[in-house]
């Protein structure tokens, strides 16, 4: 028996609400940490609290789901970077993708819950592969010899927690949001230049506009 159009529409609505909840939860967790409330998450997602509780039994369950998704992304990104023929380029790609995903934003919430054992094992394996990638980036002459794997991870965490893009998105200005994403790319390039044994001379894109600083403030 096939699925009716009404059922398909309902399934699509559930999927949209779930995606909205997860995106909102990531933003609110990054902003409020362990003090984030389910009411704030539901409001940011544009859904009722009842919709949130029908899918998750509280913020710990939401956090656990985000944690699993984050580690799935990390595992896949490390695997792709490790397969790159140029270890230094692979590492640079990993930093860009990880920062733009927001890796590190969930770190301060570790008290809420932990990864399922199987996922924790896969994540630990990815961490070991990442350390090997850093060693290879040293050996090929791309990465500064005094930069450690922990340095890179802390850099990803700090850049990933930058609120610039999220704050600009809240202004509902698509053009400004595009500028903010481009500015973040430029900042990542500046940071990567500091990691490089031989920094590149050029930066991607035009210099960021002053309005990226001023648009978030009331005048």
């Amino acid at each position: 028996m096939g699925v009716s159009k009404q059922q398909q529409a309902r399934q699509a609505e559930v999927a949209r609400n779930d995606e909205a909840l997860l995106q909102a939860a990531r933003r609110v967790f990054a902003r409020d940490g362990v003090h984030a409330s389910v009411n704030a998450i539901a409001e940011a997602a544009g859904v009722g609290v009842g919709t949130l509780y029908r899918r998750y039994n509280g913020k710990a369950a939401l956090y656990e789901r985000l944690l699993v998704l984050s580690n799935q992304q990390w595992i896949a990104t490390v695997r792709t970077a490790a397969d790159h023929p140029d270890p230094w380029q692979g590492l640079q790609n990993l930093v860009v993708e990880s920062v733009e995903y927001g890796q590190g934003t969930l770190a301060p919430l570790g008290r809420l819950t932990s990864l399922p054992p199987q996922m924790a094992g896969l994540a630990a394996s990815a961490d070991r592969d990442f350390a090997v990638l850093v060693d290879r980036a040293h050996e090929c002459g791309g990465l500064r010899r005094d930069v450690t794997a922990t340095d890179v991870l802390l850099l990803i965490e700090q850049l990933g927690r930058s609120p610039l893009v999220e704050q600009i998105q809240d202004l509902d200005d698509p053009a400004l949001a595009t500028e903010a994403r481009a500015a973040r790319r430029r900042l990542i390039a500046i940071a990567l230049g500091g990691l490089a044994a031989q920094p590149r001379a050029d930066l991607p894109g035009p210099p960021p506009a002053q309005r990226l600083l001023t648009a978030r403030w009331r005048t």
Side-chain angles (χ1 to χ4, degrees), residues 3-212:
V3 178
S4 69
K5 290 184 178 180
Q6 184 176 9
Q7 289 174 314
Q8 290 177 339
R10 176 57 183 158
Q11 289 171 355
E13 181 185 6
V14 169
R16 285 193 301 271
N17 286 342
D18 190 52
E19 182 62 24
L21 279 169
L22 290 171
Q23 291 184 4
R26 178 176 286 279
R27 294 197 305 273
V28 175
F29 278 138
R31 183 189 69 204
D32 299 340
V34 294
H35 302 295
S37 70
V38 292
N39 288 329
I41 292 170
E43 181 179 359
V47 301
V49 175
T51 297
L52 186 154
Y53 277 114
R54 278 193 294 272
R55 182 67 180 86
Y56 302 97
N57 62 14
K59 66 180 183 181
L62 262 171
Y63 171 71
E64 181 175 327
R65 179 59 180 157
L66 287 174
L67 196 59
V68 168
L69 292 174
S70 181
N71 277 274
Q72 288 175 341
Q73 193 273 346
W74 174 247
I75 292 164
T77 302
V78 170
R79 184 178 297 121
T80 299
D83 288 341
H84 198 287
D86 179 349
W88 170 229
Q89 187 59 57
L91 181 61
Q92 291 182 84
N93 294 347
L94 178 147
V95 170
V96 172
E97 292 178 30
S98 297
V99 170
E100 294 194 336
Y101 182 82
Q103 288 289 358
T105 57
L106 300 177
L109 294 135
R111 289 175 291 168
L112 287 179
T113 189
S114 58
L115 274 172
Q118 183 178 6
M119 178 60 69
L122 292 172
S125 178
D127 289 345
R128 290 191 293 271
D129 291 342
F130 172 73
V132 171
L133 175 64
V134 170
D135 288 341
R136 291 173 56 215
H138 282 142
E139 292 166 3
C140 77
L143 180 65
R144 284 176 50 160
R145 282 285 179 181
D146 55 351
V147 172
T148 69
T150 301
D151 285 323
V152 180
L153 291 173
L154 287 172
L155 178 67
I156 290 171
E157 180 176 325
Q158 293 303 309
L159 292 176
R161 293 175 65 184
S162 171
L164 170 63
V165 174
E166 288 72 16
Q167 289 177 350
I168 292 297
Q169 285 175 335
D170 288 342
L171 298 178
D172 196 24
D173 185 332
L176 198 60
T178 298
E179 287 185 36
R181 286 190 289 270
R184 180 168 62 186
R185 277 285 180 117
R186 186 177 169 91
L187 291 176
I188 296 171
I190 292 171
L192 287 171
L195 300 181
Q198 296 179 342
R200 54 182 287 180
D202 57 322
L203 293 173
Q210 178 72 15
R211 68 180 189 146
L212 286 177

